[in-house]
Amino acid sequence: MFGILKPYPSPLISGRGIDLDFAFLTGCLALLGLGLVMITSASSEVAAVQSGNPLYHMFRHLVYVALGLVACGATLLVPIATWQRMGFMMLVGAFGLLVLVLVPGIGREVNGSMRWIGFSFFNVQPSEIAKVFVVIYLAGYLVRRQQEVRESWMGFFKPFIVLLPMAGLLLMEPDFGATVVMMGAAAAMLFLGGVGLFRFSLMVVLAVLAVFVLVQAQPYRMARLITFTDPWADQFGSGYQLTQALIAFGRGEWLGVGLGNSVQKQFYLPEAHTDFVFSVLAEELGVVGSLCTVALFVFVTVRALYIGLWAEKAKQFFAAYMAFGLAFLWIGQFLINIGVNVGLLPTKGLTLPFLSYGGSSLVICCACVGLLLRIEWESRTHLGSEEHEFKESDFAEETYHGR
């Protein structure tokens, strides 16, 4: 198998052995490990009742972690130029998946939403894949049309010919959270791609108006918006999830009640091991544990942004835009999930990267880690730079290029 990949050196196959950004990798692995511990704790009571095995969700999550590590390794072996060539195909694939999930008999409905394509033992969430594919396609567009994006209105509006129909498909599921994250990452990429401040400000105004219209269009969205401002007004109705999450934060105090000792996970807090795993973490590890987790997220996302900056300095603009887009996907999900847990945002079903239980989300997160590690390695070794020609002999030297 490795003989096939020999013409394409990678951080795993090079003359210097394993050549990775170990600081970034360590941060991601720490989040994966913390996620496994918290999912084991948060899901034990539910798993014991539903399956008779309190470790049921832990074993399944271990399978997802293994698949995620395989996905990370696979993306590490693929040159970034290959992703750039496949951008349009990925965009078509993203549309295909989002259409497929809406087809009765193929898409699986859970809690009133058609967000999953069901297989015998697992489900695939197309929105997780589509968000990454959109980032890859948009990175290629920003490279191909850089001048047009910076100087003309048409170059600015063309991406929305693709983004708006995709957002419409996501809203049909409905998946409002994924729509906001995808559009937010796309807007950030356009801004970093050189869109003028006036055009960017106009886009922000239009986005705010669109969100207002979407909230008004569905009564349940307006109900959530009203509820989160005062969840205690309907503590056992529409405000139930948020009030239970806030109780978990209150019980945790400074140092927490101890790992595994959460009360809220015992059928008080719905979705304790998925959307609200951070609330269980806050209850068991307290303010100190919560802030350490947030600090770890900040480190990983800031490091991802720096990887994009390093690629840009190496004149690898596609890789740079892709790194920025992937970082903003994580930042968007992190801010929304934590915001929901602490009551700063309306309740929204959006996983916390690396920590929440969910196969598609975890595997895609790990694949993104592989992409970012590959981008960092190519920018550091100048593979793919405009000013350098890559040769196999370049990777046989026993030199280290540190940051």
Side-chain angles (χ1 to χ4, degrees):
M1 182 182 74
F2 290 108
I4 299 174
L5 296 166
K6 190 175 180 181
Y8 307 103
S10 76
L12 301 179
I13 308 172
S14 71
R16 294 192 296 271
I18 298 177
D19 186 16
L20 298 169
D21 181 354
F22 286 104
F24 176 69
L25 179 61
T26 300
C28 294
L29 290 177
L31 285 172
L32 277 176
L34 179 62
L36 177 62
V37 171
M38 292 314 306
I39 285 166
T40 303
S41 175
S43 66
S44 59
E45 300 295 333
V46 174
V49 171
Q50 293 180 348
S51 66
N53 180 7
L55 300 180
Y56 172 78
H57 290 298
M58 185 202 76
F59 290 135
R60 286 181 64 90
H61 191 72
L62 277 173
V63 173
Y64 296 143
V65 169
L67 291 174
L69 294 177
V70 170
C72 179
T75 52
L76 271 171
L77 298 176
V78 180
I80 296 301
T82 302
W83 299 104
Q84 187 172 3
R85 289 194 298 269
M86 294 172 60
F88 181 74
M89 295 173 56
M90 290 183 170
L91 181 69
V92 174
F95 271 108
L97 287 171
L98 292 179
V99 170
L100 203 60
V101 76
L102 297 173
V103 177
I106 298 179
R108 182 186 175 194
E109 184 175 346
V110 178
N111 296 330
S113 298
M114 294 277 286
R115 300 180 186 175
W116 295 266
I117 297 176
F119 294 92
S120 54
F121 296 105
F122 62 96
N123 299 317
V124 174
Q125 192 170 357
S127 61
E128 295 291 336
I129 302 172
K131 287 184 294 187
V132 176
F133 283 5
V134 164
V135 164
I136 294 173
Y137 172 78
L138 189 55
Y141 173 83
L142 290 172
V143 171
R144 292 191 307 271
R145 305 286 184 178
Q146 190 174 62
Q147 192 83 6
E148 191 177 356
V149 168
R150 293 180 176 182
E151 297 180 358
S152 73
W153 284 93
M154 186 55 66
F156 169 67
F157 280 119
K158 277 182 181 177
F160 292 97
I161 298 174
V162 171
L163 291 171
L164 292 178
M166 188 164 288
L169 289 172
L170 287 170
L171 290 172
M172 289 173 67
E173 295 183 7
D175 195 342
F176 189 67
T179 307
V180 171
V181 170
M182 183 189 74
M183 296 299 285
M189 290 175 69
L190 286 169
F191 181 72
L192 294 174
V195 171
L197 186 60
F198 175 73
R199 280 175 287 164
F200 183 78
S201 301
L202 177 63
M203 178 177 61
V204 171
V205 171
L206 291 175
V208 171
L209 290 174
V211 169
F212 178 77
V213 171
L214 289 171
V215 169
Q216 293 283 346
Q218 294 290 340
Y220 80 91
R221 292 181 187 140
M222 179 57 71
R224 284 182 176 180
L225 188 63
I226 295 172
T227 299
F228 100 96
T229 58
D230 184 15
W232 303 101
D234 192 9
Q235 181 179 350
F236 299 104
S238 57
Y240 180 76
Q241 275 186 306
L242 181 52
T243 54
Q244 296 303 314
L246 293 176
I247 290 171
F249 277 93
R251 293 193 73 252
E253 297 184 349
W254 285 103
L255 298 177
V257 297
L259 191 63
N261 294 327
S262 168
V263 171
Q264 294 305 104
K265 69 182 181 182
Q266 299 177 13
F267 301 97
Y268 291 102
L269 180 61
E271 312 296 338
H273 60 296
T274 55
D275 300 341
F276 286 89
V277 68
F278 190 76
S279 296
V280 177
L281 183 150
E283 183 182 2
E284 295 188 349
L285 304 183
V287 172
V288 174
S290 302
L291 291 179
C292 288
T293 303
V294 171
L296 199 53
F297 268 113
V298 170
F299 170 76
V300 167
T301 52
V302 169
R303 189 76 174 183
L305 291 173
Y306 267 103
I307 288 173
L309 182 61
W310 293 331
E312 189 174 32
K313 288 182 178 179
K315 298 185 184 259
Q316 298 175 3
F317 297 110
F318 170 79
Y321 292 136
M322 185 163 71
F324 291 141
L326 295 177
F328 280 113
L329 286 180
W330 286 353
I331 291 170
Q333 286 191 231
F334 167 70
L335 290 177
I336 291 176
N337 185 279
I338 299 296
V340 166
N341 275 255
V342 300
L344 293 176
L345 293 173
T347 302
K348 195 75 224 109
L350 201 63
T351 56
L352 187 60
F354 298 105
L355 259 69
S356 292
Y357 178 82
S360 297
S361 175
L362 186 66
V363 172
I364 292 299
C365 273
C366 291
C368 291
V369 171
L371 287 172
L372 288 163
L373 288 171
R374 177 81 194 196
I375 290 169
E376 188 275 336
W377 179 76
E378 288 196 9
S379 67
R380 176 158 45 87
T381 56
H382 302 295
L383 172 58
S385 296
E386 295 177 356
E387 300 174 345
H388 297 80
E389 183 179 354
F390 167 68
K391 296 178 182 178
E392 176 69 26
S393 59
D394 294 338
F395 297 90
E397 301 172 4
E398 293 297 329
T399 57
Y400 177 75
H401 303 272
R403 288 293 179 198

